[in-house]
Each structure stands twice: as C-alpha cells, then as structure tokens.
Amino acid sequence: MPRPRTSRRLTLVTPAALAAFALTALPAFATSTPAQIATSKTNGVAYLKSLQAANGAYAGSGLSNEWAFSAFAAAGTAVVDVAPGGDTTKNARTVYRNLLSTAAWPSASPVVTDYERGALNAYAAGIDPARVSASRNLVADIYAYWQTAEAGYFGPSANFNGTVFAALALGGAKTQAGTARVPQALTASTVARLRANQHNDGGWTYQKVEGDPTAVNSAGDVDMTGAAMAALCVSGVPGTDADVVQAKNFLKGKLAAASGAFNSLYGVNTSSNGWAIAGLNACGINPQSAEFTTINGKTPVDFLIANQYNPAGGFKYKPADTSASAYASIDALRAVAGGGFTSAPPAPVTPGAPQWVAQSAFTPGAAARLALSVDDGAGNLKVCAVSFTPTGATTTLGDVLAAATGSAAPSGCVTSVAPSSGTGAVTSVNGKANSGSSTWKVSVDGSSFAGALREKTINVGDTIALRWGV
C-alpha cells in the first residue's frame, strides 16, 4: 500500500508463537477449491483479529496495520465487529475514525498517500471517507495534492505511486449508495496519466516514466502493475481494454511454473502475489483461470494458501521464512478473499451497529474542507480542496465558491465568480460566462448536472463538481 518506497517493506513485529504452527499440506487439487479458500479466509481473519491492540487500534503510535480493514471487508467481516475481548466500545472502526479525526493525524509532514491510505481503509471500515468528522474530509485532503501544472497527477509526479493510489481511492471509495463521487472529467484526466506511465512490457513501477523513452522501456514491477491495473478498472476502464490486457499478459509472463508465484523485483513473496491478484480481481480477471494456471498446475492463489500457517492463519512473506508477517498476511488474505484494494463494508452482526457512519452536518465555527472541481468545457480542469469556516449546519454553493477564491489548495481553482453575492444562477466562473444553452452546472457526489444556483445547499462532505456546457 502507499508507503515510502526507499524501503520496500514495512518493518513489522510478528508473533513468534506462530512459528510453532506447521504449514498445511499442499492441496491435492491444482487449483485451490472453494472449501480451501473458505478455510483460508476463516483462519486469516482470525489471525488479523489477533493484531488488534488492547485499546482496539490497528493504527497510530507504533502501529500501521489498518490495511487489515480492506482484507476484513473482502473476507466478509465488518470492521465494527472487530473488538478486543468483545468490548464493542473499542471496536476497530470507532477507534480508527477517532484517530482520523484528530488534527495531528497523519503527521506534521503528510504526503498524499497518507490520505489515500486513510480513504481506502475508512471506506472498507464503513466510514464515509468524505465525512469522517466535521473537520476531516479525506476526499478533499486528496484533492489538495492535485498538480495543476501536470493535470491528472496527485502529489509529486515523480512518485507515480501517489497518482495510482489517488485513482484507487477516488474511484474505489464510492458513495454510500455505491456510485462514483468524482466527476468523469477528473477520472479521465487521471486515467490518461495511468496509461501514459505504462511500460512497454505492460507493467508499471512506482516511478513516473511518461515522456522518458528509456524509462518506458525499463522493466515493470509486479506489485505496482497490480495496483495500476486495479486503478484503471475502478476508474471504469473495462477488463478487456488493451492496456489492461497488456498488464494481464505482463503478469502471466512472471508466473513461476513450480509454485504459481509471480517473479517480482523483490523475489518470490506473498505480498507481491497479493498485489497482483488484487489487480486481477479488480478487473474481473480470475486468478485461477486456465491462463493463470502454470504447466505444473499451480495458480497464484495456490501459492498464497501454501504459505499460510493453519490454523493460526498468518502468511509467510517468503517461503523460507519461519514466522508469519502481518503485512504479508493482509495482502494475501485480501487477495484470497477476492478483493481489490478496497471493498464496500459488509453488514455488521453487532446489534445496532450501522453499516456506515458519517458526519451528518457541519459544526458551526469549526474549520472544514470540501472537494471542488471546475471544468470549463475546454480542457482546463481545476481541482482543489476548499477550506472555510461554516456558520451553520449547511452552507451554500455561493459561499463555497467565495471561499475558494482565497482558501483553496492548490490555489487558482476559482479566481472569480459572478454574481458575487445574493441568489440565482452562477453566470460566470474564472471569467467564462454563460452563453446560450452552455451554462455553468453543478453536480454533488456524482449526481446529474443541473443549473448552478448560488443558494444551492451544500452539506458536509459533499464532493462538488462545476461544469460549463450544455
């Protein structure tokens, strides 16, 4: 998942006691059966539950296991149902939401992947990522890293990882109703960057290669290929698309015949297999189909299950390891369970627990952020996070646009608006005026575009898209 790439893997503390468990025997079938997968999921969920701290946390001081939420969701376990000793007041969802809501999160020097990680895992936990709290809107936080000079990139373009996970978060973390919350113009801009950074061999790496013929011709990376193809597919690109097919063929070419592992830049390991399978899953490609079954009858899922301790449930990082790895176990379980890089939260079994939690209104006088995009219909897309202090439980489109002229990140998203006060139609934005049937229209959380009125009510967490056109 998004993380500093100077070190390929997070340093993790693994329970030494797990080394006492022997691996199960290799399955008698070439392809893992539904029963074997079900057992793997059950045991894997139990292992991930053992990673929970006594206070209910998976992230925070000394912890970075919140990616477990995406694995729980894929495996059909609601994060709100995960509580130490059955103490529902310390359930993992509530504890994580509280963490995300703190002003100190994620750090004094955040990067875009911090917010992408938060959005993907909040979504899987059943926390609306745009409505974590009155002051925490993870969608807006991601928008703030839009690169105006290189539209479609999020964060420094040299670290392509940030753009891949922006696409995964903005495309994968949908509204509570299951619809896309960001406008098509933004999605199309990011998809164009994803395509432009695909290597000639069909793969991707975490680094930007667009515009560099030598870099484009360098070798792709199994892990980032899985992430990038998933980013394409959650953005609406079909699994039959030429670039997705090229990525699929790249992964096929990396299969190790004897085990079903992918030969990655980091050697044969469960995390790389997990990322590759997650990409295939996100694109609707069966990782146990004939084309992903080796000449020795092994599939990528076989490799993962063969490296799982049972009944303890943890997974090795590499076959020669003698204990389970928390990080590798998260990657592996999510893949075995059929997940991509996030999944919608399952219905909880805890009595009274809702599937979703979300801030319902602004807190008057408390700083807030909203995600805004402005499309002038001529290819000049502006994207930003608007910071302002609401005076009521809701605000208006006019007030948001006024705030955007002076408190947007990146700046320049909105430079002028007409009229500048009152009610009625927005007639001009950034100097572009309504003309005949081509007028400024607005969409909120992916709704149909309609005439932009200054008095339109805007609620906490709304993702706002302005568009000029018919």
Side-chain angles (χ1 to χ4, degrees), residues 1-5 67 111-117 119-120 138 141-147 150 152-171 186 190 193-194 197 204-208 224 227-228 231 275:
M1 297 308 165
R3 57 200 182 275
R5 298 302 295 243
W67 285 111
V111 293
V112 66
T113 50
D114 291 329
Y115 300 110
E116 294 158 358
R117 180 183 72 248
L120 287 162
L138 293 166
D141 289 334
I142 295 170
Y143 269 37
Y145 286 83
W146 174 265
Q147 300 297 295
E150 295 180 284
Y153 284 107
F154 287 85
S157 63
N159 184 11
F160 180 58
N161 191 46
T163 297
V164 171
F165 278 87
L168 286 169
L170 297 177
L186 188 159
T190 302
R193 295 299 190 179
L194 295 174
N197 282 279
W204 284 267
T205 67
Y206 71 93
Q207 294 176 317
K208 176 185 177 183
M224 284 306 298
W275 280 44

Side-chain angles (χ1 to χ4, degrees), residues 115 130 134-135 137 140-142 144 362 367-371 385-388 409 461-462:
Y115 300 110
S135 57
N137 179 337
D141 289 334
I142 295 170
F362 291 112
R369 250 184 170 185
L370 288 170
V386 181
S387 298
F388 69 109
D462 283 351

